[in-house]
Amino acid sequence: MTAYGAVNSLRNTIDYILNSSHYSLVQPSPHIIQLAYQELDPLQEILEILDRTITSKSRKKVNGLDGRIKELIWEFQDLLESLLYQQILSQVKDEEMRERVQPQPQIIFQSPPPHHTTTTSIRRRLLQCFKPKGRKFKAPTIMNQSEASQSRSRVGGKRFSIDLQLLQQHVHSFIQRLKDLEEEYTYEVYNMPEDDGEQSIVSSRSGTKSKLIGLSDQFQQLKRELMECDWGYNYIVLTGTAGIGKTALAEAVFEDSEILSLFEHSVWVTVGRKFQSNDVSRAILAQMFGITQGDHELGAYLKGKKCLIVLDDVWETQILDSLSSSLRNNSSGSVYILVTARDRIIGFPILVRFLKEEESKELLCQKVFGEEGCPLQLDKAATKISKICEGLPLMIVTVADILSKAHNTDPKYWNDVAEMRNSVFTEAFNEISKVLFPSYDYLSQYLKMLFLYMGVYPSDYDIPMSDKIMNTLAIEGWFHNTNKKQSLKNSVNECLEQLCTDKNLVLFNERKIRRLAFLEFKTCRLHSSWRYVCRGEAQKNKFYHILKKLVEGLKDGVKGQRCLCLENNLLFSIKEFRNSVRMNCASSTRSLLFFGPYHQYPIPVGDDFKLLVKLDALNLRLYTFPTEILTLLLLKYLALTCNGELPATISKLFNLRVLIIHPHNDIRICGTPSYVPIEIWEMQELEHIEILGKSLVAPSHSASLEKLSTLAGVNASICTISEHFPKVPCIRKLGVRIELTPYDDHNDLLSCFGCISTLESLEMLKCSITNPVVMYDYVFPGSLMFPRGLKKLHLSGMGFSWEYMDVIGSLPFLRVLKLRAYAFRGPKWEAQEESFLKLRFLLIEDSDLVQWKPRSRSFPELSHLSMKHCYKLQEIHWFGTIELENCNPVALTWAKQFQPTPYCLLDVTATSSFDEKPTTIKFQRHGFEKWRQKDGDVKTES
C-alpha cells in the first residue's frame, strides 16, 4: 500500500546522491548504491501489476506484503542516509576547527568611492542609505577576502567526500531479501482470492419508499432527460464520492410514477464490486420476464420495448460494454440505463453535488426527530452538527443514527457533539470509513500516494497548487515524476485532476473553466471523512502521524513515523512530550510540520531529528533564527517565522531547495535596511526563495543560482535590481518590492522593467512600489518592457499612465492581470484593438479610473472582471462576470443600463460597505432580453 512511496523515496535519495555536485563519492561507492537502485525499477513494475487486477479480489495478503517491502526499503534508506549524515557532519566540524585557528577575514565593502574614508561615514551611508543629490546609491556588497580569492572555485558550492563501503554488505542482503519478497508478492497478486467481505453482487432492489431530501434540482434534471428519451439505448451516469447520495437520487427516479409510466419495464440491479456481466444480464431477464435458467441474448428480449434499467454501484466498465454489445441493434425500442458509480466510468456524467447547509440540517433533523421536527433548544446545535458533516449525506445519516440511539435531548449533550467534545463524530467516521475505504484501496499506485499525502493538511487549509507544494512533494520523495517531458507541477496537476474529475475524491475550491470544459484550479481540499481515512491509513503505515493531544505523543503509535504533523503547536513546549517523540522517532522522522494555530511565543524546534529533510514552522514565532537547526545538514525545506537576521552560516544547509522566512511583523527601524546574507548565493540547490522584507544583495563574483525558479518577497532598489537577474537565469516566478528613496530618479523605474524583460523564462511577475508617490502630471520618458512569456502579472504603485497598457496588451500568453494602488493612473483607459487576446482575469483596485472602454476584438477570453475601491468609476463597456466592491454607485447604474450583445450574458455582483449594513446586489442581463432579476438577487447582509 505504501511500498510504492518507499520506492519513490529511495529512488529520489539515490538519484540525488549520485548527481549532486556537493558529493564526491569514493570508489566503489557509486557502484554500491547503483546496485540497489537497479532493483527499484523492476520492483515498481511488480507493484503496478496490482493496478490491473479486478475489484472483486481480496487484497489483504497483498497489502501485508506491501508493508513488509516498505519496511525493508525504509531500513536500507535509514542506513544510507545515516552514513551520509555522519560523514558530512564530521567534515563540517573539521572545517570549523580549521577556520578557528585562521585569522579573522577582513570585511571589504564594495560601494561607490565615498567622500570621506572614515568608518563613521561608511557606516552612515550603509545604515541610512544616504547619497548626495545627483548620485545613485549602490547597496553594499559584503564579502571577505577568502571569499574574494576563492570565488571562482566555489561557484559550485562545497564538496564532501563520501565513502559508502560500509554499506556494501547491507546492499547484497537488501537485494536478496527484496527479490524474495518480490517473488512472494507476484505469486499473491496472481492468486488473489475472491473478497468474502461482501455478499452477492446482483440483487433486486427492495425496501420502502423514502422521501428524497435535497438534490431536488438534480432530480428535476434527471426527470427531464428521461421524459425526453429517444429511440435506441442511452446512458445516464450519476457519479460522485461514496455516500454522496447517488443511490438515493436513483431511487427517487425509479419510484416516480410519472417516469415509470413512460416505460413498459423497469428493473433495478445492484452490482457492487463482485460483478459478472452475464449475471447482470440474467438478473435483468429474471426481473422483467421471469427467465432464470439458461443463457439468453438480452437484446433479443428487449427489442422494440421501452425499458428503464438502473445499475447501482458499478465499479468496472465491462458491464456497460457488455450491455452495449447486446443493445446496439435495438433501434426499434427505447432503453434507458441509469448508472450510479463512484468513478467517472463513461462519457460526461452528472456529478451529484454535496447537500447545502439547509438541506443537511433538514436531513439530520428528519432522521433524528422524524416529522416532529427539531426542538427549539437544540436548533443551534443541530445547525453546527450538520455543518460539520460538510454536506455528505452518508455522514449526516450516520451521525443522526448515533444521536437517535442515544435518546438524549439534553442541550449540553448536543452542544458537546457540536463542539466535537465527545465520541459521536469519531464513531461516525469509523463507521463510514468501511464504506469509503474500497475507493482508496483500489486506486492506482501513483494516485494513492499523492492522495494519502493530502490528508496531512488541516481541515481548514486550502491546499494551494503553487511551486511550494510541488517542491514539498519532490522533497518528501513520495511522488516520483516518471514523465521527463513535463514538469513535476504538470504531473501533479494531472494526478489531482484525475482524483477530482475521475475518482471524485478531491474537491477543487477555485475553478476556472476554459473553453472545451478544460479545468484549471488554484486550490484543493479533502472532505473531512476522507481526511479521516487518509490519516488512519497513514498512521498505520507510519507514513505520517497527526498529533493533537499530549497522550498521542506518549503512545507507541508515534514510534517509527516518517512525518510528524502537530495540530497543537504547544505540545512541543512540553518536555515530557518532546522527549517521548525524540526517543521514539528521532532516527526515522523526515518531516516535522507545525500546522497548529499560529503561536506568537517561541517553542523549541530542536535538533535531534538528524535525518530531517523538511521543517515547516511558519506557525511558530521565533525571536531569532534558531542556529541549532544548522546541524540538520540533510534539510531541503525550511520555513520559519522570525524577525531576526539570517546568519551567514545558513550556507551550511547546502541541501536546501526551499527557503521561506516570514517576519512576525513588518515593522522596520527607519534607515536600517536588513539584508539577506551574501552566503545564500553559495546554496546552489535552492529552487524557491521567499524571504519577506529583506534586501537581496548580488555578489560581485560570478556566482549564480542556476536552479532557482521562484524568488518572492525580497526588497530591491532601482540601482541594484539589474545586478540580480543575470544571476537567476531560470527564474519562473518573481515577486519583488522596489523601494524608492527621495533621491531616486523615477525615470529609472522604466529601466527596472527593461532589466526584468531579459528574463526569458519568467511566467509570473509581482512588482510593487513600497512607498509610491503618484504624480498626475508626470510623463515617464521611454518605453515599458516585459518578458513575452508572462502568464500572470501583478503591479502596484507605479503610477504609469494608461497608454503604457498597450505594451501589456500585446503579451501573447498573459492570462491574469492585477493592478493595485494606482499601478496606472488617469480617468480613461481605452484598450487597443486585438489586445489582451489570452487574458481571462482582470483586477483593478484603488484606481482613479472613470471609464473603461475596450475596443473591438480585445479581451476575447476575459471571463472575470473585478473592480475594487474605484471611487470615481462610472462606465464599464464590457459584458461577462463583473465584481464591483465599494465602487462608485454610478458604475452599478451604468451596468444595469448596459445592453449586452446578442447571445451574451452580463453577470454583476456589487457589494458596498458604505451604509450601516453592508449590502450585496446580484443581477444578470442577457442580450436581446429585458432586464430581469433572479430570485433572491437583491439581498442585504449584515
Side-chain angles (χ1 to χ4, degrees):
M1 189 171 298
T2 52
Y4 195 86
V7 169
N8 286 336
S9 181
L10 181 56
R11 183 206 304 271
N12 288 325
T13 297
I14 296 177
D15 263 338
Y16 181 70
I17 294 173
L18 289 172
N19 298 312
S20 175
S21 60
H22 299 290
Y23 302 140
S24 177
L25 299 183
V26 177
Q27 294 295 337
S29 297
H31 176 69
I32 291 173
I33 56 176
Q34 282 172 348
L35 287 175
Y37 189 89
Q38 290 169 2
E39 294 299 317
L40 298 179
D41 278 337
L43 174 58
Q44 182 170 332
E45 294 176 3
I46 290 172
L47 294 173
E48 290 174 346
I49 295 174
L50 187 65
D51 297 340
R52 300 192 287 271
T53 59
I54 58 178
T55 57
S56 62
K57 298 292 186 178
S58 173
R59 296 188 171 187
K60 291 181 180 179
K61 289 186 177 181
V62 172
N63 288 342
L65 282 168
D66 183 280
R68 289 167 58 189
I69 294 172
K70 172 207 68 180
E71 293 294 339
L72 176 60
I73 293 174
W74 280 355
E75 178 185 331
F76 179 79
Q77 186 174 2
D78 289 347
L79 287 171
L80 171 61
E81 293 184 337
S82 296
L83 186 59
L84 186 71
Y85 174 82
Q86 291 167 8
Q87 296 191 32
I88 296 173
L89 181 63
S90 175
Q91 293 175 54
V92 168
K93 289 182 177 179
D94 290 344
E95 183 179 349
E96 290 176 348
M97 289 295 294
R98 288 194 298 269
E99 290 177 353
R100 288 194 186 102
V101 300
Q102 291 177 354
Q104 292 297 321
Q106 179 184 356
I107 303 300
I108 299 176
F109 294 96
Q110 295 185 344
S111 56
H115 289 285
H116 305 286
T117 58
T118 64
T119 304
T120 303
S121 64
I122 294 176
R123 184 180 297 113
R124 184 183 302 116
R125 277 191 296 277
L126 291 177
L127 299 182
Q128 299 180 2
C129 293
F130 171 81
K131 70 169 186 176
K133 187 175 182 181
R135 290 191 57 179
K136 297 181 180 179
F137 174 78
K138 182 178 181 181
T141 300
I142 305 174
M143 60 186 302
N144 56 48
Q145 286 181 337
S146 61
E147 180 188 8
S149 63
Q150 299 176 19
S151 60
R152 293 185 183 87
S153 61
R154 295 180 60 183
V155 170
K158 300 180 179 68
R159 291 182 67 85
F160 298 93
S161 177
I162 305 298
D163 187 351
L164 301 177
Q165 292 189 65
L166 293 176
L167 205 63
Q168 190 161 13
Q169 184 177 354
H170 295 286
V171 167
H172 293 302
S173 174
F174 167 73
I175 293 173
Q176 185 56 51
R177 293 167 62 191
L178 197 59
K179 287 183 176 179
D180 292 342
L181 285 173
E182 288 175 3
E183 184 177 348
E184 189 176 355
Y185 185 92
T186 305
Y187 174 82
E188 291 295 341
V189 167
Y190 284 113
N191 294 277
M192 287 191 297
E194 289 292 326
D195 191 352
D196 58 358
E198 197 174 274
Q199 298 299 320
S200 176
I201 26 102
V202 180
S203 61
S204 319
R205 176 185 169 274
S206 61
T208 58
K209 184 175 181 179
S210 60
K211 176 185 175 182
L212 179 68
I213 297 178
L215 304 178
S216 59
D217 53 335
Q218 295 196 312
F219 171 77
Q220 293 299 330
Q221 178 186 356
L222 275 172
K223 188 171 182 177
R224 283 194 300 271
E225 291 198 25
L226 289 169
M227 298 285 283
E228 300 170 359
C229 58
D230 300 321
W231 295 108
Y233 71 95
N234 302 274
Y235 284 105
I236 299 179
V237 179
L238 298 178
T239 187
T241 191
I244 196 68
K246 303 180 294 295
T247 299
L249 186 56
E251 284 181 340
V253 170
F254 192 74
E255 293 166 350
D256 188 85
S257 57
E258 192 174 0
I259 292 175
L260 293 179
S261 66
L262 299 174
F263 300 97
E264 299 176 50
H265 301 281
S266 59
V267 58
W268 180 289
V269 179
T270 302
V271 181
R273 288 189 291 113
K274 295 184 178 180
F275 74 94
Q276 293 291 336
S277 299
N278 292 335
D279 289 344
V280 172
S281 298
R282 283 195 292 267
I284 295 173
L285 289 172
Q287 291 188 55
M288 284 187 178
F289 308 107
I291 300 173
T292 58
Q293 301 294 327
D295 293 328
H296 301 274
E297 181 63 34
L298 180 62
Y301 282 88
L302 299 184
K303 190 172 183 178
K305 295 180 171 56
K306 296 185 69 176
C307 307
L308 173 63
I309 299 173
V310 179
L311 302 180
D312 185 37
D313 196 23
V314 175
W315 284 71
E316 303 283 354
T317 59
Q318 288 90 325
I319 290 178
L320 303 185
D321 294 339
S322 176
L323 287 178
S324 297
S325 178
S326 299
L327 301 175
R328 189 167 288 116
N329 297 321
N330 188 20
S331 57
S332 59
S334 179
V335 178
Y336 249 82
I337 302 174
L338 179 59
V339 178
T340 71
R342 300 186 182 192
D343 299 350
R344 184 177 71 174
I345 58 176
I346 188 173
F348 298 95
I350 296 175
L351 179 64
V352 180
R353 64 171 174 82
F354 288 88
L355 297 183
K356 300 175 182 178
E357 289 188 14
E358 58 271 17
E359 295 172 334
S360 299
K361 182 180 177 181
E362 181 184 358
L363 177 60
L364 177 75
C365 295
Q366 196 276 334
K367 292 296 181 181
V368 178
F369 304 107
E371 299 300 326
E372 298 179 4
C374 179
L376 184 61
Q377 68 271 21
L378 302 180
D379 185 73
K380 289 185 178 180
T383 301
K384 288 183 179 180
I385 292 170
S386 61
K387 189 174 182 178
I388 294 173
C389 296
E390 298 182 30
L392 186 67
L394 178 63
M395 185 69 183
I396 298 168
V397 171
T398 304
V399 171
D401 184 58
I402 297 172
L403 293 174
S404 298
K405 292 177 179 177
H407 301 291
N408 191 338
T409 56
D410 184 357
K412 182 181 183 305
Y413 171 77
W414 277 67
N415 287 331
D416 287 343
V417 176
E419 299 298 329
M420 302 182 75
R421 290 194 291 257
N422 56 27
S423 63
V424 169
F425 273 98
T426 301
E427 293 176 29
F429 281 131
N430 286 331
E431 186 65 28
I432 68 173
S433 293
K434 302 171 186 176
V435 179
L436 301 180
F437 181 76
S439 291
Y440 163 76
D441 197 24
Y442 291 96
L443 273 178
S444 299
Q445 300 276 4
Y446 69 97
L447 293 177
K448 185 178 294 183
M449 300 312 305
L450 176 58
F451 178 63
L452 198 64
Y453 176 74
M454 294 180 68
V456 78
Y457 294 102
S459 57
D460 58 348
Y461 187 82
D462 291 336
I463 307 169
M465 298 319 302
S466 63
D467 280 350
K468 183 172 68 173
I469 301 299
M470 301 303 162
N471 288 331
T472 298
L473 292 171
I475 287 164
E476 297 282 6
W478 296 326
F479 187 90
H480 188 75
N481 185 17
T482 56
N483 189 348
K484 301 301 181 183
K485 294 183 179 179
Q486 62 180 0
S487 65
L488 174 67
K489 180 177 181 178
N490 290 336
S491 296
V492 173
N493 282 347
E494 284 185 4
C495 291
L496 283 171
E497 189 170 340
Q498 289 184 55
L499 288 170
C500 175
T501 60
D502 294 342
K503 301 298 180 180
N504 299 303
L505 299 178
V506 174
L507 308 174
F508 289 135
N509 289 349
E510 301 179 37
R511 294 184 175 181
K512 300 174 185 178
I513 306 298
R514 298 180 185 176
R515 294 182 178 182
L516 302 178
F518 183 81
L519 182 64
E520 186 182 68
F521 52 87
K522 289 182 66 177
T523 63
C524 57
R525 65 181 179 89
L526 291 182
H527 189 275
S528 58
S529 58
W530 273 117
R531 185 178 296 103
Y532 187 85
V533 172
C534 288
R535 290 183 169 187
E537 285 301 302
Q539 179 182 344
K540 182 175 67 176
N541 291 281
K542 303 187 184 302
F543 201 45
Y544 57 79
H545 188 27
I546 309 298
L547 299 170
K548 297 181 181 180
K549 302 176 182 178
L550 174 61
V551 68
E552 292 172 338
L554 307 178
K555 293 181 178 180
D556 291 338
V558 77
K559 191 171 184 178
Q561 294 288 344
R562 310 295 279 191
C563 171
L564 297 179
C565 178
L566 284 84
E567 291 196 346
N568 181 355
N569 295 334
L570 281 173
L571 291 175
F572 234 64
S573 64
I574 303 173
K575 187 176 181 180
E576 182 184 9
F577 175 90
R578 193 166 61 248
N579 290 341
S580 175
V581 167
R582 287 170 173 168
M583 181 179 64
N584 284 290
C585 59
S587 61
S588 63
T589 300
R590 299 306 196 274
S591 297
L592 187 58
L593 315 175
F594 292 88
F595 282 172
Y598 183 77
H599 190 70
Q600 62 177 341
Y601 299 107
I603 292 175
V605 254
D607 58 349
D608 293 329
F609 301 90
K610 302 301 183 183
L611 303 185
L612 207 66
V613 296
K614 179 179 179 183
L615 174 59
D616 190 333
L618 276 180
N619 285 353
L620 295 182
R621 179 191 179 183
L622 304 172
Y623 291 143
T624 59
F625 185 89
T627 55
E628 64 270 17
I629 69 173
L630 296 178
T631 62
L632 304 177
L633 300 175
L634 301 185
L635 205 62
K636 298 180 181 178
Y637 183 112
L638 177 61
L640 299 175
T641 295
C642 66
N643 275 88
E645 297 295 326
L646 293 182
T649 50
I650 195 172
S651 60
K652 289 183 179 180
L653 303 178
F654 61 91
N655 281 309
L656 270 187
R657 298 185 192 176
V658 177
L659 177 59
I660 302 172
I661 305 294
H662 289 181
H664 174 67
N665 51 53
D666 205 13
I667 300 174
R668 191 180 59 187
I669 300 175
C670 181
T672 57
S674 178
Y675 292 101
V676 178
I678 198 78
E679 287 78 7
I680 202 169
W681 294 93
E682 298 176 17
M683 304 170 70
Q684 297 296 301
E685 300 299 323
L686 278 173
E687 299 172 6
H688 182 110
I689 298 178
E690 185 178 323
I691 303 178
L692 306 186
K694 296 184 183 297
S695 298
L696 181 64
V697 179
S700 61
H701 56 78
S702 57
S704 62
L705 297 176
E706 300 286 343
K707 297 182 180 180
L708 191 68
S709 63
T710 300
L711 177 61
V714 297
N715 294 342
S717 67
I718 289 181
C719 303
T720 62
I721 199 168
S722 62
E723 300 175 359
H724 296 86
F725 301 134
K727 300 179 182 298
V728 285
C730 299
I731 195 77
R732 289 178 46 249
K733 294 186 177 182
L734 174 62
V736 60
R737 301 194 299 181
I738 300 177
E739 299 186 57
L740 293 180
T741 71
Y743 303 103
D744 282 325
D745 188 345
H746 283 62
N747 294 336
D748 290 338
L749 194 56
L750 290 177
S751 66
C752 290
F753 290 100
C755 297
I756 294 174
S757 68
T758 62
L759 300 174
E760 297 180 356
S761 59
L762 197 65
E763 297 179 359
M764 187 183 80
L765 171 63
K766 291 184 179 181
C767 186
S768 62
I769 305 299
T770 57
N771 46 353
V773 177
V774 179
M775 297 177 288
Y776 281 93
D777 297 329
Y778 188 80
V779 178
F780 286 87
S783 59
L784 184 62
M785 293 182 289
F786 291 96
R788 286 184 57 80
L790 276 183
K791 297 179 180 178
K792 297 180 180 180
L793 177 60
H794 302 195
L795 299 176
S796 175
M798 283 72 197
F800 295 136
S801 62
W802 289 107
E803 286 75 11
Y804 285 105
M805 285 297 296
D806 296 340
V807 176
I808 300 177
S810 65
L811 296 175
F813 308 108
L814 190 66
R815 297 180 300 183
V816 176
L817 177 60
K818 297 182 180 181
L819 308 173
R820 292 187 171 95
Y822 290 83
F824 290 81
R825 57 177 171 77
K828 185 176 181 180
W829 174 23
E830 193 168 359
Q832 296 296 315
E833 293 185 3
E834 298 186 3
S835 61
F836 297 96
L837 298 180
K838 297 294 182 181
L839 195 70
R840 301 187 182 97
F841 181 90
L842 173 61
L843 166 68
I844 302 177
E845 183 175 356
D846 290 318
S847 172
D848 61 347
L849 188 65
V850 176
Q851 183 187 77
W852 181 49
K853 188 175 182 180
R855 295 184 181 177
S856 62
R857 297 189 298 278
S858 61
F859 300 94
E861 294 192 11
L862 185 63
S863 59
H864 191 102
L865 171 64
S866 179
M867 311 283 283
K868 298 181 179 181
H869 307 286
C870 299
Y871 303 115
K872 296 183 179 181
L873 185 65
Q874 295 182 9
E875 299 178 11
I876 308 173
H877 295 261
W878 185 77
F879 53 85
T881 300
I882 300 177
E883 176 190 10
L884 301 175
E885 180 179 323
N886 288 338
C887 291
N888 190 344
V890 176
L892 179 60
T893 304
W894 172 268
K896 289 181 178 180
Q897 298 173 351
F898 185 58
Q899 179 65 52
T901 56
Y903 310 109
C904 293
L905 171 68
L906 178 66
D907 188 355
V908 178
T909 300
T911 59
S912 174
S913 57
F914 297 135
D915 301 326
E916 185 176 349
K917 289 186 177 181
T919 58
T920 299
I921 298 176
K922 298 181 180 181
F923 63 83
Q924 287 184 345
R925 190 173 184 184
H926 298 264
F928 290 137
E929 290 187 9
K930 292 183 178 181
W931 167 256
R932 67 183 180 86
Q933 287 187 323
K934 300 185 294 182
D935 293 339
D937 274 347
V938 181
K939 61 180 181 180
T940 302
E941 300 176 350
S942 58

